[in-house]
Amino acid sequence: MPDPTAVDSASPPGGAPRSGSARSLAPDLARGLMLLVIATVHAHLFRFAADGSSSFTLDGPLDTAVTAAMALFAENRGYPMFAALFGYGLTWIYLRRAAEGREWPWVRRLLRRRGRWMVAIGLAHTVLIFFGDIIAVYGLIALLFTAALRFTDRRLLTHAFAWMAVGSLVYAFVNTAVFSAFAEQGAAAGPATPLTDLVGRVVSWAVLGPLLVAISVFPFMIGVWAARRRLLEEPDRHRSLLRRIAAFGITAAVLGGIPQALINIEVWNAPAAAEPWVFWLHLLAGYFGGFGYAALTALVAGRLGERRGPIVTALAATGRRSMTCYLLQSVAWAVLMPTYALGVMGSLSDAQAVGVGVAVWLATVVVADLLRRAGDRQGPAEWVLRRLTYGRT
């Protein structure tokens, strides 16, 4: 999910956000690329959710390869990185305001006000169009874990790894149970209507929301730790560490994703008792994959320096407007997936669905770049959140 702190972490309170050319490239580039991961994962999963089935199509070698690649490189690899970037951005809001002489109670009120509005926006997002909202989840984290910004490193990492172990384990078992119930229900459910979808979205978020908080606290706190060291702003100074994180994280993501990939492509018929443990391993590997992707992006950004061609510029523009682009993806799914709308997702193969995800992401890149060209304007969602947080000052 997008990092809604992207604008304010680079601007003074009440002032205009920093222009794209003055911003650090790595966080924006990472967000822009991870939106591609999220779009393809959603499209891939919506393919079988749309027709009520409980498996991928696997219609030929291409579908099988795509499904395996999604498990190894994409599923549960994008959200951890966004949660880490959210922690990174929230820390920078705190550090910048503290550097301006703001006292901690003032900053805490600011961050919690921002969190409350994110919860409101996320709940509206859920009610209106999308069941898998993450904006409200980040808002809840901002409300509940603001104090973590002032933890010592030791306390921060202790809390982080405790959440990693317990939160991910609970999520793995509950998610597996929910998915099994969905698979058993399958096509027995009646045709979807706008009303049944609305009820389903609200009920789903009531179950998934707290679970998403539980699995997002760990990467959020790792993002706080990374921001204190300016890992993304100063990649050249941390090149050796970033290389190790990228190599270890991406390798761990691939190796840890192999069992889940074998299940997804129906090579391994795992016993029911093993499925939640396999998914737990998949989640843990995803954490490190997300960190590895962020580190790799920072290294690329450091290598590029100021040499930003049109593609990199457009990707950074997308990352800067990640909340708007994320919401635009939801609008696309609301049009493409339900049977009472276009209803095309259920008729696609796995590879075709991923292709649709790529196309949706490319459309948001075009929109973001047009906003950049039109006077480097903020995205509408970023503008609204900033106005709600800071007012008209």
Side-chain angles (χ1 to χ4, degrees), residues 6-308:
V7 172
D8 290 274
S9 63
S11 58
R18 243 179 359 185
S19 67
S21 61
R23 294 168 60 89
S24 176
L25 175 61
D28 287 341
L29 186 60
R31 280 186 289 264
L33 289 170
M34 281 302 105
L35 281 168
L36 169 62
V37 173
I38 288 175
T40 53
V41 168
H42 280 163
H44 195 223
L45 295 177
F46 292 161
R47 204 283 318 153
F48 67 76
D51 66 1
S53 65
S54 59
S55 63
F56 300 104
T57 61
L58 303 178
D59 187 15
L62 179 59
D63 275 2
T64 301
V66 167
T67 298
M70 294 300 293
L72 296 176
F73 298 102
E75 292 173 7
N76 295 300
R77 273 76 178 138
Y79 281 135
M81 197 212 71
F82 270 123
L85 289 173
F86 178 68
Y88 201 103
L90 214 64
T91 302
W92 268 101
I93 293 178
Y94 164 54
L95 294 175
R96 288 181 180 277
R97 298 330 181 229
E100 295 164 357
R102 299 288 187 176
E103 299 292 334
W104 169 243
W106 186 93
V107 179
R108 182 176 56 203
R109 286 195 299 272
L110 172 73
L111 297 177
R112 288 179 175 172
R113 182 164 63 248
R114 185 183 189 85
R116 286 193 295 270
W117 281 116
M118 288 173 63
V119 171
I121 293 170
L123 292 179
H125 179 216
T126 298
V127 170
L128 294 175
I129 48 177
F130 189 60
F131 75 93
D133 171 77
I134 199 75
I135 299 173
V137 170
Y138 289 173
L140 287 172
I141 290 176
L143 289 171
L144 298 174
F145 296 96
T146 305
L149 302 182
R150 288 162 58 88
F151 284 179
T152 63
D153 281 352
R154 181 175 181 178
R155 184 181 180 190
L156 182 71
L157 293 178
T158 299
H159 278 257
F161 282 98
W163 278 98
M164 179 195 76
V166 178
S168 60
L169 186 61
V170 171
Y171 181 86
F173 275 80
V174 174
N175 185 78
T176 302
V178 170
F179 183 80
S180 297
F182 170 79
E184 291 176 4
Q185 182 184 24
T193 68
L195 180 59
T196 59
D197 266 2
L198 186 153
V199 173
R201 288 195 300 271
V202 173
V203 173
S204 295
W205 197 94
V207 175
L208 290 175
L211 293 173
L212 289 172
V213 170
I215 62 170
S216 299
V217 175
F218 168 58
F220 166 79
M221 291 186 173
I222 295 300
V224 174
W225 178 87
R228 293 174 179 178
R229 285 151 182 79
R230 302 177 64 93
L231 291 187
L232 300 184
E233 283 85 6
E234 301 174 354
D236 291 337
R237 190 162 69 91
H238 302 285
R239 186 178 292 113
S240 178
L241 174 60
L242 290 170
R243 284 175 175 167
R244 291 198 297 272
I245 294 173
F248 173 79
I250 296 173
T251 301
V254 173
L255 295 178
I258 289 175
Q260 187 66 53
L262 294 177
I263 292 175
N264 289 358
I265 63 175
E266 300 179 1
V267 170
W268 179 31
N269 185 19
E275 289 183 359
W277 296 103
V278 171
F279 188 61
W280 186 43
L281 174 64
H282 189 61
L283 283 175
L284 295 179
Y287 283 138
F288 298 103
F291 302 153
Y293 288 153
L296 180 61
T297 306
L299 290 169
V300 171
R303 192 71 175 266
L304 291 172
E306 297 301 320
R307 298 169 305 186
R308 305 183 187 183

